[in-house]
Amino acid sequence: MSAREQIAALEEGMGHAIVGQRDVIRRLIIGLLANGNLLVEGLPGLAKTRAIKALAKNLEADFSRIQFTPDLLPADVTGTDMLYRDEQKSEFRFHPGPIFANIVLADEINRAPAKVQSALLEAMEERQVTVAGKTHKMPPLFMVMATQNPIEQEGTYPLPEAQMDRFLMHVLITYPPVEDEVEVIELVRSEEIAAANAASTEAAAEESHQPADVIPQQAVFDARREIAAIHVSDAMARYMADLIEASRHPTKLSEELARWIEIGASPRGSIALDKAGRTNAWLEGRDYVDPQDIHAVIHDCLRHRLGLSFEAQGEGISADRVIDELLKLVALP
């Protein structure tokens, strides 16, 4: 199969495990192919963790889950040097932490203190960790998906804006419609029945743990190579730059935007639009980027990069609404 067919199979496999979250699945695929890290936010029980696990299950990749808590230490994430002794000598050897995996789920990242968040974000940005003066590289396929709960603030450490900027996309998960809720109930029930049947005999239990047809890592690298060749015209590059520039100088567009925006997007916003836009075009089967690709990803790429004013927050203006206004006011190429 071609790289596009294998990625389509990966997306379809994830869809079997997650009901009613097609947009979320597409965002996870875009993050994987764009070689970026994702911040996934949603209320409890909306399949944030399940979505990320579904990606790891259908991909030939090592999966690691870190449950962030206030008492977590940086060494619990990155690993540490441990003393090994034998009859002849004693030496320190590096014992890797859970960050050394292909897909890392950082569950409830805002519950960890600043030092732990910094250790994780350094690994995300530099693709390496340094322990006791030695640098240890991450595997070639490396992706962090961090989750956070937007409603619980007690005992949490919100990520600073500068650290939020390191995430390629900020994905929001909302409640599913009633029809999908019914499918969720049926899906969980069928999984419970299958698990009960598999546990009835030891042979069946062993068979249930055999991996299904998974997508090899090479398919991701092949897809990235093809995405790198996607054509971006000068007009489209200028359009992306104009959108970012408009967020920094909103007074040029409207007084309303000027009241809402306090801090505009950084150059990482432009890079994110380019990467995610090219990936979306590739997934749609095109070899060029057009405005609809930018519109498809801009909310996820910019909602965590805009600093809204107190006035906007007081009026209940969301970052998504601000981005909608930017799209209305910035001329298309």
Side-chain angles (χ1 to χ4, degrees):
M1 291 194 298
S2 65
R4 181 174 284 105
E5 290 172 337
Q6 289 179 307
I7 297 303
L10 172 62
E11 190 171 2
E12 182 181 356
M14 293 176 64
H16 293 157
I18 308 167
V19 175
Q21 299 287 3
R22 286 290 175 180
D23 288 342
V24 174
I25 294 174
R26 174 55 64 94
R27 297 303 182 270
L28 297 184
I29 296 293
I30 289 176
L32 175 69
L33 299 182
N35 198 19
N37 303 291
L38 302 185
L39 178 62
V40 184
E41 182 175 329
L43 296 171
L46 294 184
K48 298 186 296 295
T49 302
R50 185 183 180 94
I52 297 169
K53 285 184 175 180
L55 173 59
K57 181 180 179 181
N58 289 275
L59 184 66
E60 184 186 20
D62 294 329
F63 174 73
S64 178
R65 180 177 185 264
I66 308 172
Q67 181 64 54
F68 280 64
T69 56
D71 60 347
L72 206 66
L73 298 175
D76 296 329
V77 175
T78 62
T80 186
D81 282 340
M82 300 185 68
L83 180 62
Y84 287 82
R85 293 179 176 176
D86 55 27
E87 296 179 356
Q88 298 179 353
K89 62 177 181 177
S90 301
E91 63 177 351
F92 282 97
R93 300 176 191 169
F94 179 67
H95 183 76
I99 192 68
F100 287 89
N102 299 122
I103 296 179
V104 180
L105 168 58
D107 218 351
E108 295 188 290
I109 188 175
N110 55 336
R111 290 199 175 279
K115 283 187 177 181
V116 179
Q117 293 178 358
S118 298
L120 174 70
L121 294 168
E122 179 185 2
M124 289 165 42
E125 185 76 11
E126 306 297 335
R127 302 300 171 103
Q128 65 183 29
V129 296
T130 302
V131 178
K134 294 183 179 179
T135 300
H136 306 274
K137 298 285 187 181
M138 298 291 122
L141 179 63
F142 176 71
M143 180 181 186
V144 173
M145 299 186 187
T147 70
Q148 65 178 12
N149 185 339
I151 63 171
E152 295 179 5
Q153 302 302 325
E154 184 177 355
T156 62
Y157 304 82
L159 288 171
E161 286 76 5
Q163 294 184 353
M164 291 273 286
D165 197 30
R166 299 188 185 186
F167 288 97
L168 177 73
M169 302 173 76
H170 180 192
V171 182
L172 296 182
I173 300 183
T174 58
Y175 286 122
V178 176
E179 295 78 8
D180 291 338
E181 194 93 18
V182 174
E183 290 188 39
V184 169
I185 296 172
E186 295 174 349
L187 175 62
V188 173
R189 186 192 306 130
S190 64
E191 289 178 344
E192 291 177 351
I193 294 173
N197 293 336
S200 60
T201 64
E202 183 176 354
E206 292 179 356
E207 182 180 354
S208 67
H209 287 84
Q210 292 298 318
D213 292 335
V214 296
I215 305 302
Q217 290 187 20
Q218 188 59 44
V220 176
F221 298 131
D222 291 343
R224 288 177 179 176
R225 186 170 59 252
E226 294 180 10
I227 290 169
I230 294 291
H231 176 67
V232 181
S233 66
D234 293 341
M236 284 305 307
R238 181 56 187 262
Y239 180 55
M240 290 185 277
D242 285 343
L243 287 168
I244 300 301
E245 178 69 12
S247 73
R248 299 171 186 165
H249 303 286
T251 52
K252 297 179 180 179
L253 297 179
S254 75
E255 294 182 0
E256 194 171 43
L257 271 181
R259 288 193 304 107
W260 291 347
I261 300 178
E262 184 173 336
I263 302 174
S266 73
R268 284 196 183 108
S270 303
I271 296 171
L273 283 179
D274 177 63
K275 286 184 176 181
R278 283 187 285 113
T279 304
N280 190 79
W282 183 85
L283 289 170
E284 294 296 329
R286 283 182 276 103
D287 60 357
Y288 62 92
V289 175
D290 66 12
Q292 70 181 19
D293 296 312
I294 305 304
H295 295 177
V297 301
I298 188 171
H299 292 83
D300 301 284
C301 290
L302 295 188
R303 65 165 56 101
H304 58 301
R305 292 186 163 94
L306 297 180
L308 303 186
S309 65
F310 286 112
E311 188 174 357
Q313 296 177 36
E315 295 177 7
I317 304 299
S318 66
D320 284 356
R321 181 175 172 185
V322 174
I323 295 170
D324 288 337
E325 288 299 316
L326 288 173
L327 292 174
K328 290 179 184 178
L329 298 173
V330 175
L332 289 168

